[in-house]
Amino acid sequence: MPIAALARAKKQDVDAAIEALEAAASPRLHVFLATSDLHLRVKLNMTREQALEAITSMIRYGRQHVGEVEFSAEDAGRTDIDFLCQVCRAAVGAGATSPESARYGWLCSAGRIWRDVHQSARIPGAIQMA
C-alpha cells in the first residue's frame, strides 16, 4: 500500500515530505498549489507564470526522489478553465503521475470543467468522462 505525503509547491515542504517518506516501501508525494486568480493574488502573492514555475519545478524535484508524484490544484473550482488546463498540462509534462484535479474530477459537480481539463491535458490512464 502506498504511503503519501502532502506538500505545498515549496522546496522546504517538498523536502520535509521526501524525508518523511524515506522509510516507505511505496512512497507517493502529493504536491499542491492554489491556482485561482484570487488565491494567487491574495494568498500567495504570485502571478500565473510564477505558479506554473513552482508547480513544474517542485514536481520535477520530487520525481528525483520519489517515483510517484501527484498534483492537485487547490481552489480549482474558481480557477479560469484555460489556466487550469494549462496547469494540468504543465504538471503532467513535469512528470506528475496522477494529477488529482483531472483524474478524480468526476467527483466534482462541475463535470464540464473536468471533462475539458481531462481532454486538454491528455492525461494517460485518467477516467474517461462523458
Side-chain angles (χ1 to χ4, degrees):
M1 172 181 283
I3 301 295
L6 181 68
R8 294 175 295 181
K10 292 181 146 196
K11 188 171 184 306
Q12 73 184 61
D13 287 17
V14 173
D15 281 338
I18 290 167
E19 183 180 343
L21 291 169
E22 284 178 358
S26 182
R28 177 183 296 163
L29 174 64
H30 189 105
V31 176
F32 73 95
L33 188 76
T35 55
S36 70
D37 288 330
L38 175 67
H39 279 218
L40 289 174
R41 184 180 66 251
V42 176
K43 180 179 175 180
L44 301 174
N45 194 29
M46 283 183 151
T47 65
R48 287 181 173 188
E49 292 74 24
Q50 290 169 321
L52 287 169
E53 173 59 28
I55 291 163
T56 57
S57 65
M58 289 301 98
I59 290 171
R60 285 188 189 109
Y61 179 69
R63 284 297 302 268
Q64 292 174 359
H65 302 277
V66 179
E68 192 171 345
V69 178
E70 298 175 335
F71 171 76
S72 62
E74 179 187 350
D75 202 31
R78 288 190 285 189
T79 301
D80 171 75
I81 186 64
D82 291 331
F83 182 58
L84 184 58
C85 290
Q86 186 179 3
V87 164
C88 288
R89 283 191 305 268
V92 169
T97 53
S98 179
E100 293 293 314
S101 294
R103 186 169 180 204
Y104 297 114
W106 61 272
L107 294 172
C108 179
S109 61
R112 184 195 69 75
I113 292 172
W114 300 115
R115 183 188 63 240
D116 291 350
V117 169
H118 171 266
Q119 290 170 350
S120 174
R122 293 181 185 87
I123 299 164
I127 296 168
Q128 296 298 316
M129 295 176 275

